[in-house]
Amino acid sequence: MSDTQTGEVRPTGWVGWGVFAAIILIVAGGFDLLYGFIALFMPDSAYFVTAQGGLLLFDVEGWGWWHVISGALLVLIGAVLFTGATWARVIAVILVVVNALGQLALLPVQPWWSLIVLALDVLVIYALTVHGKELEHLG
């Protein structure tokens, strides 16, 4: 909301959407780190999932590294979002879109979890694109 006399932008109640997005990114990144470390430290574990007559095989080490890297990026960007940096909002939206595409690929294998994560991804994208600018004025 802007003050017509001074031209300053003051945060409104919608700033909570930006804080919500940052917290969701940090939590999701923490879970990704956890999944990644489990895959790296337990390389004998493997994921075999049948889906309508098919078999999905995951390279556990590659899967683990992917989750460690993406988890670390999500936690870092989620923390930087509290500063209101525009570049952090852009990177966060890109990471969330990549995550949403990954969840679409896993929809036949784990439909409920994928739908929940997709819904959270849509909320985070909404929060950062519509109300993310207000994060600059938190402090």
Side-chain angles (χ1 to χ4, degrees), residues 14-22 25 81 84-97 120-136:
W14 290 104
V15 74
W17 278 99
V19 173
F20 165 80
L25 287 175
L81 277 176
T86 302
W87 65 268
R89 290 196 319 266
V90 171
I91 299 296
V93 168
I94 291 169
L95 288 174
V96 170
V97 167
L120 285 173
D121 287 344
V122 168
L123 286 174
V124 167
I125 291 170
Y126 170 78
L128 293 177
T129 56
V130 176
H131 303 292
K133 184 82 172 152
E134 293 189 28
L135 285 171
E136 294 177 356

Side-chain angles (χ1 to χ4, degrees), residues 49-56 107-109 111:
V49 181
T50 58
Q52 299 297 331
L55 183 65
L56 241 59
L107 196 57
V109 179

Side-chain angles (χ1 to χ4, degrees), residues 42-49 56-60:
M42 298 173 57
D44 293 336
S45 65
Y47 292 86
F48 301 102
V49 181
L56 241 59
L57 300 170
F58 288 109
D59 173 30
V60 177

Side-chain angles (χ1 to χ4, degrees), residues 18 21 24 29 33 47 105 111-112 117 127-128:
I24 289 295
L33 280 168
Y47 292 86
W112 289 109
V117 174
L128 293 177

Side-chain angles (χ1 to χ4, degrees), residues 27-73:
V27 170
F31 279 119
D32 272 358
L33 280 168
L34 178 67
Y35 294 150
F37 285 133
I38 288 171
L40 289 175
F41 294 128
M42 298 173 57
D44 293 336
S45 65
Y47 292 86
F48 301 102
V49 181
T50 58
Q52 299 297 331
L55 183 65
L56 241 59
L57 300 170
F58 288 109
D59 173 30
V60 177
E61 187 175 350
W63 185 82
W65 279 113
W66 167 257
H67 280 283
V68 167
I69 292 167
S70 66
L73 287 173

